[in-house]
């Protein structure tokens, strides 16, 4: 195309808008309503502020939504255009308070900037103004509609991208205003999920975060980093004034594309919370007292020497952290292996995706999300099972909803009527622990209708015949009975999935946290292979990892059976490779103990010395009464954390570490993407970065370490970890890399198993449905399932210290079906006693038909009324050793 | 020049509830003809050759629109009839739907055949209950006779029609807003392109035509494009229905060939001005149009001439004004309508029309300044140029056209603080002619604000500062002593 832009002739070969063309040519065009998030095709949906007008053949057109065409002559600057833009600004300020002096966003306001550019001092068309009460009802931000310019960016981000559909325009014409349902306060909306994406996109001061610190944009600096909550790996800026994080802004990261959730956007206030640990603590006379770093190091080193000489390596175990950086975890496992000489290092991945690792390793050869998050947008059919995505991985939930809006079909299976049911073509409320039956049922229908990908199966897999044999008995009718759903829905879902060109599965702990977790994962792999949905863009088996760096902690050897990069500890060559690299002898060649086994061995007084970095098993692990008793039996417990958690409170030495905002490093998100974490503020008191603590301590314990900075650790990781072979801090400054990154020329891997599975041929692993270990009995007539809620994160050590979040969700609760509640004579909000074979707790009732009859649900976040006092640590998956956290038989009683 | 009925050929002459009556008058023979004799392309060629242009106001060539819609292939395509007749004073669509509903059904089916769509939708405003009833009745009857449904006239072609009831927003006459409203969304326009022909109802190719446009289709098919194009002017073929209203002797619907002059319509068919007062202006195009002064009385009415005159065809409203009408007040009346009906999406229309109206308020209340005229013109021009859809792009027309033709009236309001037509209540002050006043006190007793003083049998006077211009004194006076000034 030949385009004339301000007299300059350009030759353009792709479709674009005038605005994009101008930006490519460094011509600045003012915009208020336009969002870069809009695709070129969708830009015209808005185009409402009319500020970006340019001239084409003498006519004013909005550049944001006008496509270029061959022969187009565009003028971006002349008096006519200037006057038109100025008029728009003049009209806007005629209904906008000119209180820039005290306005919260002065200096960060597009309207202010453009009024300056176009010399608009005030309106020349004074007239009626709209006035509204300021709405403070939301816990995290306030709404000042007097300042709203009705650009609708908030409405668009909420509806089209966040896909919550909470915001709309009410009234029309001059009386138009942004509103939530029934024109309630923002905080009273039943639809709004407090993600704050509307706040992030507001170009003026109409939606403003509630901040305790007053700041002007020019007083702040912005540090790009990775969110420290769930595994999505959202990219964001920490906005810092002095030494305080005062705001968070979303960035256009590969996974999050300018979105954040409530935790990422507003959950930063734990960083400078007064509860932060600032000095080492040592238990003296039963009480934790402040101590110096030297004292703490000396004590740990001497306890290490004692235990080593008295018992040997079997006395030690370590829990790495899904919250800490890759570099922290690498050093941690190095300490356990090279100094403690044991492989008994594990972390809470054991409790979430251990069965994913075992199930996918057996079928595909690699236990990670096969495809990237961005590929959701190209999938035709998305099957979500055992993942409450919109709450546990909110931004991925939004990406799924975006895809549905663009025409993708969604299938959801979950014991609860979770949020995604509203967007589903087929929603199946299955009984807990019946995933395998459902998956077999789906495959039965697919085979019966000849929808399997015969070519793929023949060329790339082994063992399909056995699967065919197994599937025969899983008729929709039988499966419907097992799962408690309609047979028609199974058929409908199977046909959708089977006929799709690109279908993908997303799952999480609803599949993995079962005694049959590994089989559940294998069944998903079977479904994907049967339909040829692996190894192509937009397809795949996608386990959603729960924590910010659970993927990295696994990748870097925080597992008892593998060194960094999943290199097996039992392979002699691997052992000698690490002995050489680490310059040590006598690394253990035995598989170490898992989290649940470690607890049991501590209970049995075999393990004496436990080192925990950034984990809180006293809330997160099953059967807490048992955990507590075990920890009390330890000779020596070291806990390294940022708060005095329930676990740290039991420790002999507590080491104050830094939060993600105070250190450098990398996190690996759920899609295997290695992303930078950057230091934005100084750590409180004497707190030190985890890697610094470990490095210093290792030297104290007699293993000299020499790391000048955290990049050195990544360089070491790259040399010993083939899947991270091409990763360096330098590359991460300009590239987004997902492993495997084989070498410094390799660009990383968007999706796995292209052409060939990691293990060569894919292996079908047919699995029979087996009932969960606990079924309702007369004594324990109800089934409890556990999980997470949107606003809280894991054991609440961070979110519990964010004011707004804690006000909204301060305490433990149990979801119960209205009919069950009526049968028990329980009212909404009433405290009840919940008892399982492990223990009993008291908690508040929330009556809702989200749960099925006979099912109750509790979030596990709370230490008081902790769900994990009820769960079992002995109903384990025999392969992955993951406990069946999702199914516990309980009894509920009125108090 | 006399009336020439094409669109209104059956209205009032047949029983709209009796499909047989329609069929007796050549009804459905155009559909039969195209299904048996014409290819889809041939239908489009015929409509294109006829020169028919959209009667909803835009004046886009109908055949070209159909061709455009046919060129997009999709699993579903839609034919939409825009029956959201919103111009104040215009009611030709209603008349057709109530009087000749089958003509729309037949035309939509022909359009469906031409653009390869099997589904029609009529977006009908809720304020027309009788039209809804009669159209639904007609759809049911046509379906029963197999004139809608599958295999019409034994061919492969099938077509169904569904009525979607609008919720009463003027902007929903804009086709993108209409489509969003049909989808259950807020009735807001979106930028074109993409045109509905490419991405319309549920993002499927959609052809939207107005009721009156459809009413012309069957006659064109039956009598031929040449016949149709022999009527009218060079670029505007056929006839146009006008809703003649205001200060004219014969009010009602008038269908005349394109090219008929205003004079012929108003003084010929309309019989001239009521009470033989003097013609002042005719507003065509409703609130989107402009006021045409007597200078335009002999201009042949067609799409292009009206635009050149600062007005537009619109859907055919024609309101006649005489010497008693205040043109500033008329502009204010139309602006108020646009302010109320603006959807609020784009800045110029949401705030700009409001500000224009406020300036007119200011002028008509006697607070106008001479600069206001320039501000009206400048803002009006910018609102036209920068608004997102037709509503805002045309909303300033009543102001700009009246400033153009009746500037003296604006100046009278602004400079002399006087409304020459005595219509702007804030500027109308009553006075008492001392020669006629007999001192009966009726006026003083009628005055609600005690602005009239005077003792019995003596000449009364009105305190201008207190007078609110309500006219109660004028009504009360039996001697013609009270007059407006």
């Amino acid at each position: 195309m030949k385009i004339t832009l301000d007299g300059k002739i350009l030759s353009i070969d792709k479709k674009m808008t005038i605005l994009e063309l101008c930006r490519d040519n460094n011509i600045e065009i003012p915009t208020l309503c336009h969002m870069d998030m809009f695709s070129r095709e969708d830009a015209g949906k808005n185009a409402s502020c009319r500020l970006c007008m340019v001239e084409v053949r003498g006519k004013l057109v909005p550049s944001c939504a006008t496509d270029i065409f061959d022969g187009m002559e565009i003028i971006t600057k002349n008096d006519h255009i200037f006057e038109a833009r100025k008029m728009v600004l003049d009209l806007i300020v005629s209904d906008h308070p000119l209180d820039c002096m005290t306005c919260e966003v002065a200096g960060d306001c597009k309207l202010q900037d453009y009024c300056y550019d176009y010399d608009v001092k005030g309106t020349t068309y004074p007239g009626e103004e709209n006035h509204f009460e300021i709405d403070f009802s939301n816990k995290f931000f306030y709404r000042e509609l007097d300042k709203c310019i009705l650009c609708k960016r908030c409405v668009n981000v909420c509806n089209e991208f966040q896909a919550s559909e909470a915001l709309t325009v009410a009234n029309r014409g001059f009386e138009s205003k942004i509103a939530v349902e029934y024109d309630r306060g923002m905080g009273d909306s039943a639809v709004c999920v407090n993600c704050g994406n509307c706040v992030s996109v507001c170009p003026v001061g109409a939606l403003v975060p509630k901040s305790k610190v007053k700041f002007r944009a020019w007083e702040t600096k912005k540090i790009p980093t990775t969110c420290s909550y769930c595994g999505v790996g959202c990219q964001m800026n920490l906005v810092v004034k002095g030494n305080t994080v005062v705001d968070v802004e979303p960035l256009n990261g590969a996974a999050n594309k300018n979105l954040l959730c409530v935790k990422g956007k507003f959950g930063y206030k734990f960083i400078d919370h007064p509860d932060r640990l600032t000095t080492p603590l040592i238990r003296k006379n039963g009480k934790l007292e402040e101590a110096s770093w030297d004292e703490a190091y000396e004590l740990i080193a001497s306890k290490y020497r004692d235990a080593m000489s008295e018992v040997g390596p079997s006395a030690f175990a370590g829990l790495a952290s899904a919250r800490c950086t890759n570099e922290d975890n690498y050093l941690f496992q190095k300490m356990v292996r090279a100094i403690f000489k044991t492989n008994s290092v594990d972390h809470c991945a054991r409790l979430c995706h251990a069965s994913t690792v075992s199930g996918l390793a057996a079928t595909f050869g690699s236990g990670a999300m096969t495809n990237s998050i961005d590929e959701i947008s190209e999938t035709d059919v998305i099957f979500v099972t055992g993942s409450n995505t919109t709450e546990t991985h909110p931004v991925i939930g939004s990406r799924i909803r975006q895809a549905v809006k663009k025409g993708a079909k969604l299938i959801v299976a979950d014991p609860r009527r979770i949020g995604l049911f509203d967007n589903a073509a087929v929603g199946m409320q299955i009984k807990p622990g019946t995933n395998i039956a459902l998956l077999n049922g789906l495959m039965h229908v697919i085979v019966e209708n000849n929808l399997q990908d015969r070519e793929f199966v023949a060329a790339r897999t082994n063992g399909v015949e056995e699967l065919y044999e197994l599937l025969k008995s899983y008729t929709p009718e039988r499966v419907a009975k097992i799962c408690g759903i309609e047979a028609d829905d199974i058929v409908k879902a199977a046909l959708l999935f089977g006929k799709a060109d690109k279908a993908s599965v997303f799952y999480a702990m609803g599949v993995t946290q079962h005694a049959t977790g590994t089989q559940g994962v294998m069944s998903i792999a079977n479904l994907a292979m049967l339909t040829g949905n692996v190894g192509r863009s937009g397809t795949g088996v996608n386990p959603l990892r729960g924590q910010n760096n659970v993927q990295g902690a696994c990748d870097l050897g925080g597992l008892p059976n593998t060194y960094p990069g999943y290199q097996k500890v039992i392979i002699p060559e691997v052992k000698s490779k690490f002995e050489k690299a680490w310059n040590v002898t006598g690394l253990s060649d035995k598989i170490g103990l898992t989290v649940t086994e470690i607890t049991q061995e501590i209970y049995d007084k075999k393990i004496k010395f436990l080192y925990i970095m950034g984990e809180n098993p006293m809330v997160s692990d099953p059967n807490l009464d048992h955990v507590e008793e075990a920890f009390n039996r330890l000779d020596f417990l070291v806990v390294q954390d940022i708060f005095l958690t329930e676990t740290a409170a039991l420790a002999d030495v507590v080491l104050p570490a830094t939060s993600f905002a105070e250190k450098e490093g990398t996190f690996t998100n759920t899609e295997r993407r290695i992303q930078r974490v950057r230091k934005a503020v100084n750590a409180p008191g004497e707190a030190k970065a985890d890697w610094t603590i470990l490095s210093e301590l290792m030297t104290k314990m007699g293993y000299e370490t020499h790391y000048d900075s955290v990049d050195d650790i990544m360089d070491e990781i790259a040399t010993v970890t083939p899947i991270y072979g091409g990763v360096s801090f330098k590359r991460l400054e300009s590239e987004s890399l997902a492993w495997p990154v084989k070498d410094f020329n390799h660009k990383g891997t968007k999706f796995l198993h292209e052409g060939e599975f990691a293990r060569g041929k894919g292996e079908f692993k047919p699995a029979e449905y087996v009932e969960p270990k606990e079924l309702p009995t007369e004594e324990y007539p109800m089934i409890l399932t556990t999980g997470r809620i949107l606003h809280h994160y894991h054991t609440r050590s961070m979110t519990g210290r964010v004011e707004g979040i804690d006000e909204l969700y301060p305490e433990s609760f149990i979801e119960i079906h209205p009919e069950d509640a009526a049968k028990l004579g329980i009212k909404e909000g009433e405290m009840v006693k919940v008892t399982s074979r492990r223990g009993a707790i008291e908690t508040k009732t929330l009556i809702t038909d989200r749960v099925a009859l006979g099912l109750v649900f509790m979030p596990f976040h709370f230490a008081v009324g902790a769900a994990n006092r009820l769960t079992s640590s002995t109903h384990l998956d025999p392969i992955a050793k993951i406990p069946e956290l999702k199914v516990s038989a309980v009894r509920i009683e009125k108090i | 020049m006399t009336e020439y009925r094409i669109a209104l050929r059956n209205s009032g002459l047949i029983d709209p509830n009796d499909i047989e009556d329609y069929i007796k008058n050549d009804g459905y023979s155009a559909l039969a003809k195209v299904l048996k004799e014409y290819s889809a392309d041939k239908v489009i060629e015929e409509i294109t050759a006829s020169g028919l242009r959209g009667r909803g106001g835009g004046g886009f060539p109908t055949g070209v629109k159909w061709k455009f819609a046919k060129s997009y292939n999709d699993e579903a395509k839609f034919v939409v009839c825009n029956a959201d007749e919103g111009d104040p004073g215009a009611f030709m669509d209603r008349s057709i739907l109530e009087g000749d509903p089958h003509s729309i059904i037949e035309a939509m089916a022909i359009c469906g055949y031409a653009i390869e769509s099997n589904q029609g939708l009529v977006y009908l405003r809720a304020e027309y209950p009788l039209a809804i009833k009669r159209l639904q009745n007609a759809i049911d009857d046509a379906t029963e006779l197999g004139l809608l449904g599958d295999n019409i006239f034994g061919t492969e072609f099938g077509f169904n029609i569904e009525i979607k009831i609008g919720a009463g927003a003027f902007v929903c006459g804009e086709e993108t807003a209409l489509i969003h409203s049909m989808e259950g969304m807020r009735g807001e326009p979106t930028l074109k392109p993409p045109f509905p022909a490419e991405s319309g109802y549920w993002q499927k190719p959609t052809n939207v035509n107005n009721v009156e446009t459809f009413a012309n289709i069957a006659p064109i098919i039956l009598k031929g494009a040449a016949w149709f194009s022999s009527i009218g002017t060079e670029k505007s073929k056929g006839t146009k229905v006008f809703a003649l209203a205001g200060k004219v002797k014969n009010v009602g619907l008038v269908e005349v060939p394109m090219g008929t002059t205003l004079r012929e319509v108003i003084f010929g068919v309309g019989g001239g001005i009521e009470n033989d007062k003097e013609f002042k202006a005719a507003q065509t195009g409703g609130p989107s149009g402009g006021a045409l002064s007597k200078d335009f009385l002999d201009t042949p009415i067609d799409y292009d001439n009206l635009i050149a005159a600062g007005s537009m065809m619109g859907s055919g409203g024609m309101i006649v004004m005489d010497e008693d009408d205040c043109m500033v007040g008329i502009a204010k009346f139309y602006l108020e309508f646009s302010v109320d009906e603006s959807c609020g999406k784009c800045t110029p229309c949401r705030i700009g029309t409001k500000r224009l109206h406020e300036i007119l308020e200011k002028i008509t209340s006697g607070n106008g300044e001479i600069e206001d005229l320039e501000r009206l013109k400048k803002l009006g021009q910018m609102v036209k140029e920068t608004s997102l859809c037709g509503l805002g792009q045309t909303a300033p027309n009543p102001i700009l056209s009246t400033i153009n033709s009746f500037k003296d009236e604006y100046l009278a309001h602004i400079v002399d603080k006087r409304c020459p037509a005595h219509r702007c209540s804030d500027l109308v002050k009553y006075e008492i002619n001392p020669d006629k006043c007999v001192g009966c006190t009726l006026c003083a007793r009628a005055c609600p604000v005690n602005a009239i003083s005077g003792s019995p049998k003596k000449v009364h006077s009105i305190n201008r500062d207190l007078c609110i211009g309500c006219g109660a004194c004028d009504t009360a006076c039996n001697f013609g002593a009270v007059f407006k000034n």
Side-chain angles (χ1 to χ4, degrees), chain B residues 65-254:
Chain B
K65 204 171 191 178
W66 288 17
K67 193 174 177 187
F68 198 29
K70 179 170 186 287
S71 71
Y72 291 96
N73 292 318
D74 209 317
E75 52 186 4
K77 292 167 91 168
F78 298 96
V79 173
V80 174
C81 174
N82 181 350
D84 188 52
E85 188 171 47
D87 275 8
F91 52 100
M92 58 286 292
D93 292 352
R94 172 182 180 170
S95 180
I96 294 166
L97 289 167
E98 288 179 0
D100 192 16
H102 287 286
S103 68
I104 302 306
I105 296 170
E106 182 177 10
M108 288 177 71
I110 292 169
C111 177
Y113 176 73
I115 71 163
E116 294 166 356
S117 158
N118 304 110
Q119 182 63 50
L121 298 148
V122 180
Y123 186 80
L124 220 171
R125 62 199 311 241
E127 295 89 335
Y128 286 177
L130 186 63
I132 295 169
K133 197 174 145 199
R134 290 204 174 147
L135 182 64
Q136 189 57 56
N137 184 41
I139 291 168
D140 295 345
D141 287 351
T143 309
E144 204 180 307
L145 286 190
L147 298 166
L148 285 176
D150 296 336
N151 306 108
I152 299 171
F153 291 121
T155 65
E156 293 284 289
F157 177 68
F159 195 74
N160 290 294
I161 296 176
E162 190 189 333
I163 298 177
K164 293 267 180 184
I165 297 174
F170 180 63
V171 73
C172 289
E174 198 283 337
E175 56 185 5
T176 61
L178 180 150
I179 287 167
H180 295 140
S181 174
M182 288 204 305
E183 291 169 344
M185 313 289 177
R186 217 177 130 82
E188 282 184 351
T190 42
L191 197 75
K192 297 188 280 190
F195 290 93
E198 181 185 352
S199 175
Y201 188 54
W202 300 121
Q203 288 79 53
K204 300 292 180 195
T206 303
N207 179 71
V208 185
N209 286 129
N210 160 268
V211 172
E212 190 186 334
T213 313
F214 277 128
N216 280 291
I217 299 299
I220 291 171
I221 297 294
L222 290 177
K223 299 186 184 172
W227 160 77
F228 189 82
S229 65
S230 70
I231 308 159
T233 65
E234 192 196 339
K235 288 185 177 166
S236 302
K237 302 297 185 189
T239 58
K240 177 75 192 92
V241 183
F242 291 99
L244 195 55
K247 307 286 180 60
V248 65
K249 283 179 181 160
N250 306 324
V251 296
L253 295 181
V254 181

Side-chain angles (χ1 to χ4, degrees), chain A residues 44-50 60 65 80 87 91-92 94 124-125 127-128 149-150 152 169 171-173, chain B residues 169 186 188 191 340-348 350-351 354-355 358 375 378-379 382 385-388:
Chain A
K45 283 187 181 169
N46 210 29
S48 65
C49 76
R50 320 304 282 180
L60 293 171
H80 184 214
M87 179 72 71
L91 289 174
I92 291 173
S94 75
T124 48
Y125 296 94
E128 188 186 330
I149 58 169
L150 281 164
K152 297 214 300 183
V169 179
N171 304 337
R172 68 182 183 202
Chain B
R186 217 177 130 82
E188 282 184 351
L191 197 75
D340 281 348
E341 294 295 339
S342 166
C343 76
K345 183 173 178 178
C346 73
T347 315
R350 182 180 71 248
I351 310 179
K354 173 85 177 168
R355 298 294 175 240
E358 285 170 345
R375 295 168 66 214
K378 189 176 162 195
L379 180 56
M382 278 301 174
E385 285 189 64
T386 58
S387 286
L388 198 161

Side-chain angles (χ1 to χ4, degrees), chain A residues 43-263:
Chain A
K45 283 187 181 169
N46 210 29
S48 65
C49 76
R50 320 304 282 180
L51 188 59
C52 68
M53 303 305 250
V54 296
E55 250 185 48
V56 175
R57 290 196 197 121
K59 253 189 86 181
L60 293 171
V61 298
S63 61
C64 68
T66 307
D67 285 350
I68 57 170
F69 56 78
D70 190 30
M72 193 181 223
E73 290 179 22
I74 307 160
I75 296 169
T76 68
K77 268 183 217 76
N78 64 24
D79 290 349
H80 184 214
I81 297 164
F82 187 88
E83 285 304 320
R85 291 179 185 166
K86 188 169 176 170
M87 179 72 71
V88 168
L89 292 168
D90 190 329
L91 289 174
I92 291 173
V93 300
S94 75
D95 187 25
H96 184 95
L98 298 180
D99 61 353
C100 300
M101 282 181 290
T102 52
C103 179
E104 214 47 66
V105 301
D108 191 22
C109 170
K110 289 184 92 174
L111 181 61
Q112 191 186 38
D113 295 345
Y114 293 139
C115 282
Y116 174 72
D117 290 348
Y118 287 82
D119 203 19
V120 176
K121 288 196 175 75
T123 186
T124 48
Y125 296 94
E128 188 186 330
E129 293 168 14
N130 284 294
H131 289 295
F132 305 92
E133 290 276 306
I134 300 180
D135 171 17
F136 290 106
S137 60
N138 188 286
K139 298 280 181 202
F140 308 98
F141 57 89
Y142 65 89
R143 177 174 61 164
E144 191 173 354
L145 283 178
D146 282 12
K147 290 185 180 164
C148 174
I149 58 169
L150 281 164
C151 67
K152 297 214 300 183
R153 286 164 66 105
C154 55
V155 177
N156 287 320
V157 81
C158 186
N159 294 350
E160 306 293 327
F161 299 99
Q162 167 61 26
S164 287
E165 305 189 333
L167 289 173
T168 186
V169 179
N171 304 337
R172 68 182 183 202
F174 191 69
E175 278 82 43
S176 299
K177 65 170 184 171
I178 305 298
V180 295
E181 81 275 13
Y182 308 117
D183 202 10
R184 295 168 167 162
M186 293 284 285
D188 303 320
S189 165
V191 188
C192 170
V193 293
N194 303 315
C195 67
N197 288 311
C198 54
V199 179
S200 298
V201 299
C202 181
V204 294
L207 290 165
V208 181
K210 287 181 174 171
S211 175
K212 283 198 179 135
V213 184
K214 281 196 164 231
F215 65 92
R216 286 295 187 206
W218 55 82
E219 298 175 311
T220 62
K221 56 183 176 171
K222 293 178 180 179
I223 289 91
T225 192
T226 304
C227 179
S228 71
Y229 285 109
C230 77
V232 179
C234 297
Q235 297 298 292
M236 61 197 205
N237 269 333
L238 295 181
V239 181
V240 175
K241 177 184 175 181
N243 195 45
T244 309
V245 177
V246 293
D247 196 8
V248 170
E249 297 176 342
L251 288 175
N252 190 18
N256 66 310
K257 301 276 182 206
N258 295 302
L259 296 178
L260 289 176
C261 76
V262 60
K263 298 187 289 285

